[in-house]
Structures are given as structure tokens and as C-alpha cells.
Amino acid sequence: MIGTGKIKQYANVLDKPLGKGKQEVSLSAFAFLFSELVQYNQTEVDNISELETRLEDAGYAVGARVLELLCHRDKGNRRETRLLGILSFVHSTVWKVLFGKVADSLEKGTEQEDEYMISEKELLVNRFISIPKDMGTFHCGAFVAGIVKGVLENAGFPAVVTAHFVPVEGQQRPRTTILIKFAEEVILGWPMSMLCNSGKEAVNFSGYWYGIKDYCNKCS
Amino acid sequence: MTSTACFIIVSRNDIPIYEAEVGSAAKREDAAQLHQFVLHAALDIVQDLAWTTSAMFLKAIDRFNDLVVSVYVTAGHILYIYGTDLHVHNI
């Protein structure tokens, strides 16, 4: 008889603990898949920004799913409701699960209130990719930017996320920075519908939503 | 013992994805519309409440006559809203 005592049987399938999932995936398999993804999209678009948009959309789908999955698997069923919370979630948990290590750094922009940056010496997705000179500022990290955007937007923090090369003195290869620019309502903490036309004043209304955006003494 | 429960899954853009009615009570003619109305009226409350706590299960957030509305919010703000009779509120 095959041993039945080895695996714990659960009476109710809902009581089974969530599996940890595959911890490791072949890097060469992923690199191949990613390169095919980029090449396929290259044939479908006319210019660089469209290509970046497509990669970003591909990443967005990943981000949306990763957010839900990690919330149940790694965070014990707790949601993030604070900006810093979701940023450190992306910087540590998401990066750890996707790339095997936490991101190199998370910084807040000094000139702009709504900008944050996640830096990485070399993105995993870029490791086997070289950009020809005539493609200028194209960055395959747009895929990773899309992942971050998917996580942030679905958690309720809409943002514009882009990937950039940042040259570093003394090093041949530039660093990669994922720039996160949050939408206004995230920074102000108000729901969008309460902002007036200039986007500055949170306006109280007495019952009618009609014409809400005009009712501000600062912008009229 | 008769009990009714209505259950709706709503995406983060307020689009209902799934709807179900369970229960052994005799179904009234307008029960389905009434339940949908009540659960959707609770959406505003849920969306405000979801930002105040990091818990995922929000119990008994709204009430309509004898229909108690509770909701489970996922990380991606997908809402599992359900309404139950007050009499069997043991969940």
C-alpha cells in the first residue's frame, strides 16, 4: 500500500495553506521569453514610445496580479493604505519575489513632492539586452515600470511610472532608475472629485455635484 | 429557518462582475433588484472605509431594514459584498 500518512490530508480544501509557489524559474527561459516579447512588439509598432507603451501594458497586467497574490501569500491578508507602505511593499516584497533581491534603493524626489525613485544597478530584464544607438532613450525597463504601475494603480495610488538610465561616474554601465510620479489626488489625500479647477483647494459642497469644479475662490 | 443572502463581486472601477442570490426564503418579485440596489448603495461607504483600515474583512458596514451588508476588500480593491438577514447574523 502506498503510504498515506506522509501527506497531511485536509478535510476541507479551504483549510489547506497557500502554496509557496515555485521559488525559482530558469533565467535563460525568462530571458528568451522576454527577448521574444520585445522583438514581437518591435514588429508591431512604428516608433519607440509606442514600443515602451506596449511593454508597459504587458507589465501592468503582471503588476495587478502580483499585488493580489503577494497580499495573500506574503503579507498575511493585510492591505496597504499608506503611500510609504505601498512603496516599501514594491521596493522589498515585490522585488524580492520577482527578482530574488530587494531593490537597491528607494528615494524621494527633492524638487517635486510627488516623485519617488527606485534604483537598481542593473535590472534583471536588461541583463541580456543591448540597445542599439539609433534607438536613443529606449529602455526595456518599461516592462518593470509597468509592473510597478500595475501594483500602485490597483492598490489605489495612481501614478505615472517610467524607467530611465542614469549615468554613474566611474562606472561604464549606467544605473537604472524607475521614476514614480504620483497623481495629484494621492499626494493631497483627497478623492479627486473634491478638487476644484486649479486642483488646489478641497471644496465643500452643500449637496449638488453640478459645477463642483468651479466653486473655489482661489481659482475663479 | 429561512434566510436569504445576496452576493456581488465588484471590480475596482465599480463594475459588477458576479451576482448571486442564495437562500431558502420564498423569493419576492423585486427581491433581486432590491438587493442589488442595497449592495450598490453600500459602495460609497465601503470605498471610504477601505482607506481607514488595513483589514480586509469589513463586517456589518451598512444596514437596510433587516439586510446587513458586509464586505471583503482585496488588495486590488476588488469588493466581495454580501447582504444577509439580520436574524441570522452570525458570521
Side-chain angles (χ1 to χ4, degrees), chain B residues 55-76:
Chain B
M56 295 179 87
F57 184 52
L58 306 172
K59 195 167 151 178
I61 52 165
D62 191 23
R63 188 160 300 191
F64 178 81
N65 293 349
D66 58 348
L67 197 66
V68 181
V69 180
S70 313
V71 67
Y72 181 87
V73 190
T74 69

Side-chain angles (χ1 to χ4, degrees), chain A residues 14-211:
Chain A
L14 291 177
D15 289 332
K16 274 167 80 168
L18 278 178
K20 265 302 174 187
K22 266 205 158 98
Q23 305 283 26
E24 279 181 4
V25 172
S26 153
L27 174 62
S28 40
F30 169 72
F32 177 62
L33 179 64
F34 188 69
S35 83
E36 285 299 318
L37 177 75
V38 175
Q39 283 176 54
Y40 170 74
N41 283 311
Q42 254 184 318
T43 65
E44 302 269 318
V45 300
D46 301 321
N47 53 53
I48 292 180
S49 55
E50 255 190 76
L51 181 57
E52 281 202 347
T53 308
R54 284 200 167 218
L55 284 182
E56 206 181 286
D57 289 340
Y60 186 92
V62 176
R65 288 154 179 78
V66 151
L67 169 68
E68 294 274 356
L69 175 69
L70 292 186
C71 171
H72 290 293
R73 216 191 248 173
D74 286 329
K75 276 168 46 73
N77 292 337
R78 275 189 317 277
R79 284 178 301 113
E80 285 298 337
T81 48
R82 301 261 169 273
L83 183 64
L84 282 183
I86 193 73
L87 278 176
S88 69
F89 170 70
V90 169
H91 166 271
S92 326
T93 315
V94 175
W95 236 255
K96 190 118 212 290
V97 165
L98 292 181
F99 305 122
K101 60 188 257 309
V102 302
D104 284 348
S105 68
L106 168 67
E107 294 150 4
K108 185 168 155 46
T110 40
E111 307 105 44
Q112 307 276 358
E113 273 302 311
D114 51 357
E115 282 184 3
Y116 289 80
M117 291 154 290
I118 295 183
S119 294
E120 185 86 23
K121 187 152 164 260
E122 170 98 61
L123 277 182
L124 188 74
V125 302
N126 278 342
R127 196 187 290 188
F128 300 112
I129 296 196
S130 65
I131 319 262
K133 280 278 187 303
D134 58 353
M135 291 190 84
T137 54
F138 174 65
H139 199 312
C140 280
F143 182 70
V144 177
I147 295 180
V148 175
K149 180 170 194 232
V151 172
L152 291 177
E153 255 190 45
N154 281 285
F157 301 90
V160 174
V161 188
T162 46
H164 305 274
F165 280 120
V166 175
V168 180
E169 313 160 5
Q171 279 183 25
Q172 221 186 15
R173 294 182 68 94
R175 249 174 28 158
T176 298
T177 293
I178 310 272
L179 181 66
I180 305 170
K181 193 171 169 67
F182 284 104
E184 272 202 54
E185 67 252 31
V186 176
I187 304 298
L188 294 177
W190 283 94
M192 187 63 150
S193 53
M194 299 271 278
L195 292 179
C196 72
N197 227 355
S198 61
K200 291 204 177 16
E201 184 81 19
V203 184
N204 274 329
F205 66 103
S206 60
Y208 268 111
W209 288 101
Y210 170 79

